Amino acid sequence: MSMAAVGMIAGMALGFAGFYGGFGAFVLVAALGAIGFFAGRVMDGDLDLGDVFRRRDDRSRTGGDRRDWRR
């Protein structure tokens, strides 16, 4: 299925939720859709949770004898 078709289906689902359930239902469907999207990306291996939750200091270090800028 193309990304355009997936986007159209998601837009229609949000539209129906907003029309029939109000703004609260619209926000709930959008939030659950975003959670499902990221869960799918993790399951496919396209997104590594370690990159998202790793501390900034761990990401910026490339090794070697670098001095800490805070000292």
Side-chain angles (χ1 to χ4, degrees):
M1 186 179 305
S2 71
M3 291 305 292
V6 172
M8 181 186 68
I9 292 169
M12 289 173 62
L14 287 172
F16 282 124
F19 183 76
Y20 291 111
F23 183 72
F26 173 81
V27 172
L28 178 66
V29 169
L32 291 176
I35 291 170
F37 173 75
F38 285 112
R41 295 288 301 251
V42 168
M43 297 291 256
D44 284 342
D46 294 335
L47 180 66
D48 185 19
L49 289 179
D51 292 339
V52 176
F53 293 112
R54 189 173 302 140
R55 288 187 2 207
R56 188 166 136 163
D57 290 344
D58 293 342
R59 280 185 275 182
S60 64
R61 296 218 172 140
T62 58
D65 188 23
R66 293 182 38 189
R67 291 185 179 218
D68 192 0
W69 64 270
R70 292 173 284 199
R71 291 186 193 180

